[in-house]
Amino acid sequence: MTRRSTVADAASEETLSNLGHEDREFPPDPAFTAQAVGKAELYEQADADREKFWADQARERLTWSKDFTQTLDWSDAPFAKWYADGQLNAAYNCVDRHVEAGNGDRVALHFVGEPGDTEDITYADLQDRVKRAANVLLESGVAKGDRVAIYLPMIPEAVISMLACARIGAPHSVVFGGFSSDALRSRIADAEAKVVITADGGYRRGKPSALKPAVDDAVKDSPSVLKVLVVQRTKEEVAWNDEKDLWWHEALEAASPEHTAEPMDAEHPLFILYTSGTTGKPKGILHTTGGYLTQAAYTNAVVHDVHPETDVYWCSADVGWVTGHSYIVYGPLANGATQVLYEGTPDTPHKGRWWEIIQQHKVSIFYTAPTAIRTCMKWGKEIPEKFDLSSLRVLGSVGEPSNPEAWIWYRDVIGGGKAPIVDTWWQTETGAIMVSALPGVTTLKPGSAQIAVPGISVDVVDEQGNSVDNGHGGYLIIDKPWPSMLRGIWGDPERFKETYWSRFKGIYFAGDGAKKDEQGNIWVLGRVDDVMNVSGHRLSTTEIESALVSHPKVAEAAVVGATDETTGQAVCAFVILRGDAVQEADEPGEGADLVAELRNHVAKEIGAIAKPRQILIVAELPKTRSGKIMRRLLRDVAENREVGDVTTLADSSVMDLIQQGLAKPA
Ligand code: 6R9
């Protein structure tokens, strides 16, 4: 089902030309430059000696238990080793050393629960809880190297759990709380997790939303799981298994508060995070300790311009995604920052909730996704205008291309017309920010992610892997190893080589199409593979197709990402029914019920975020002679466009059939 599409296929010609017309520019304000963490000299230093640059960053930003002698070992490419003979502990770097430096009273997390409960957690509090949680994990049978699955809402325990794992060298696998029990089960099985950390539930849109039942369901068939640690958040009733289940609060209370962080080898696995690939099976992206933490801390400092003594930082991502890993947990905490951690949605109990939090906590740095900005834009500027947002001095965006209109709205309405915006391009696989402006240094161009951060080398290449000239488009690649690069796909080294390193020899293929403008700024156009980006979340077309086909009434399915004003892309599915179901769907009124049933089926199999916006029941799918579904044509239908070239179809009348079928009243 995988396919190699062309750049023009992924990013339509219209997008390419639209982007070319954006010529507004915002040079840095000298007052900002004077205080900025990121300096123009960084580019020269990195260009002069890249390895020395990264060795300096590692030593400057982190505390090593044992210094390293070699910065990069690329002899077994594409398997990199950074700082290999050095040793450090990630949790010690994120917590203990700040307490030892006399900053134990500094707030690490201003937690804001959706119902309105709040808790300020200092670095000293965090240290106490992380140490206790580490002891609980050890007592539950987790040893160094064992995996722990974390399935939690956005509550402090999510951060504490991740750090407790890091402290004892047990790689964590955080599974987004919105994923289904099936998705959780397959991730537990792939990583053979020994412990699962979850909660009774969390608050979502004003109501408790249960998590434990999904875990109970997943754990039933997970032989590797010895214990389930349960955080009490909603106090709703839960089913209890006396042999496996442990209440988090009871276990932490009983645990010893003493624990010494053990130094880990720099290449010791820190975490696995599953992400959608071009096949149905999610990939367990593996990150290790020293290189990952170096680049997370460095980019958080220079790109978000974090001054830990004075800033209040807020990244609105969920810890279930890589953005939460690198820019809620590891980067900001390694830097000793104070941050907001918010449990809920932006519109509960009212559409100004985010802006209210910013006003209340005097947030100075805010990092979110373009889809959120577009949603707020749709709700109207009157909502944020009711709040005092003057504390904001840096704004960031991540996860998908940000269109110039949303960028300008973000700057004017949220940033008071002055806060620099950093549009940051990176991936689960890159571990940390790769392409971004540096605030105070770069002249900003709305809609462009701009250039590689100092120390990173990216380019845009053509089909043959040759660098394209400015003003041209192609594939986004990374041509030199970087500290926070993925070290592989859990349990599947061949897939790692095949997915990222086989298209262009010795070069990392990111899977995104991009264009370089006349000044060499990078404009990311979106995925060129069968991966969709819905509200900044990566979803695989194949994975949703498999979910649909697993329904007894479905014979075949094709899924495409159609452009959507708010979510960037939306899931649109074309479904061929099995014999009996065809007649059923033809009965008056039954078609709509069946569509609802299929949408819910996808939510159950994968999670609510994967629910198709639209399901069209069709009699045929457009296929090439070699049997590949031509999603490009289905995208034309989903986006109400005239259908493109059909000459490579095995049967060119199929598209007529689909369109006639759609014209039929439901
Ligand atoms: C961090 C994160 C990665 C994919 C990536 C690209 C898209 C991320 C972007 C962007 C345009 C940006 N993407 N940042 N596209 N501009 N600033 O999102 O990781 O979930 O792995 O997604 O997201 O398509 O390849 P991940």
Side-chain angles (χ1 to χ4, degrees), residues 322-323 398-401 423-429 512 524 527 533 538:
V322 74
T323 306
V398 58
E400 38 172 339
D423 175 353
T424 62
W425 177 88
W426 59 292
Q427 310 176 294
T428 305
E429 292 87 343
D512 280 316
V524 181
R527 306 287 308 185
N533 189 325
R538 267 166 77 168

Side-chain angles (χ1 to χ4, degrees), residues 381-606:
K381 65 174 189 271
E382 310 73 52
I383 296 171
E385 275 171 0
K386 284 191 218 127
F387 299 90
D388 177 6
L389 305 179
S390 60
S391 55
L392 286 172
R393 49 174 214 90
V394 180
L395 300 175
S397 94
V398 58
E400 38 172 339
S402 89
N403 44 314
E405 281 59 45
W407 195 101
I408 296 286
W409 188 91
Y410 195 26
R411 179 181 169 95
D412 287 348
V413 180
I414 307 303
K418 60 173 188 357
I421 298 180
V422 288
D423 175 353
T424 62
W425 177 88
W426 59 292
Q427 310 176 294
T428 305
E429 292 87 343
T430 70
I433 294 170
M434 303 295 280
V435 180
S436 172
L438 291 189
V441 178
T442 315
T443 291
L444 305 174
K445 296 201 87 177
S448 167
Q450 307 213 269
I451 59 170
V453 297
I456 296 299
S457 179
V458 304
D459 201 357
V460 179
V461 301
D462 64 16
E463 296 280 346
Q464 283 72 46
N466 303 314
S467 179
V468 304
D469 291 335
N470 286 354
H472 290 81
Y475 301 99
L476 188 56
I477 57 99
I478 307 167
D479 56 11
K480 295 204 172 72
W482 64 102
S484 64
M485 67 197 289
L486 74 165
R487 298 302 196 261
I489 294 176
W490 186 254
D492 203 345
E494 278 315 307
R495 191 174 177 196
F496 169 63
K497 288 195 236 170
E498 163 63 29
T499 309
Y500 305 104
W501 303 94
S502 66
R503 181 119 189 201
F504 305 113
K505 208 174 164 340
I507 287 178
Y508 175 87
F509 172 55
D512 280 316
K515 189 192 151 168
K516 285 196 277 198
D517 69 14
E518 295 302 338
Q519 287 117 40
N521 287 299
I522 289 170
W523 298 72
V524 181
L525 302 171
R527 306 287 308 185
V528 293
D529 52 19
D530 293 341
V531 176
M532 287 174 289
N533 189 325
V534 179
S535 297
H537 298 150
R538 267 166 77 168
L539 297 170
S540 140
T541 53
T542 321
E543 204 180 348
I544 301 176
E545 284 164 5
S546 315
L548 283 165
V549 174
S550 75
H551 190 283
K553 291 181 186 160
V554 175
E556 211 178 336
V559 166
V560 296
T563 306
D564 183 281
E565 225 177 75
T566 308
T567 58
Q569 283 187 310
V571 180
C572 289
F574 294 77
V575 166
I576 301 180
L577 296 176
R578 284 174 193 262
D580 303 349
V582 175
Q583 276 115 45
E584 193 191 312
D586 272 347
E587 310 268 324
E590 293 301 315
D593 284 355
L594 183 62
V595 165
E597 187 180 324
L598 295 180
R599 292 181 73 232
N600 290 333
H601 178 71
V602 174
K604 187 191 153 281
E605 291 287 309
I606 305 171

Side-chain angles (χ1 to χ4, degrees), residues 47 190 205 407 430:
D47 286 347
D190 189 67
R205 304 196 185 281
W407 195 101
T430 70

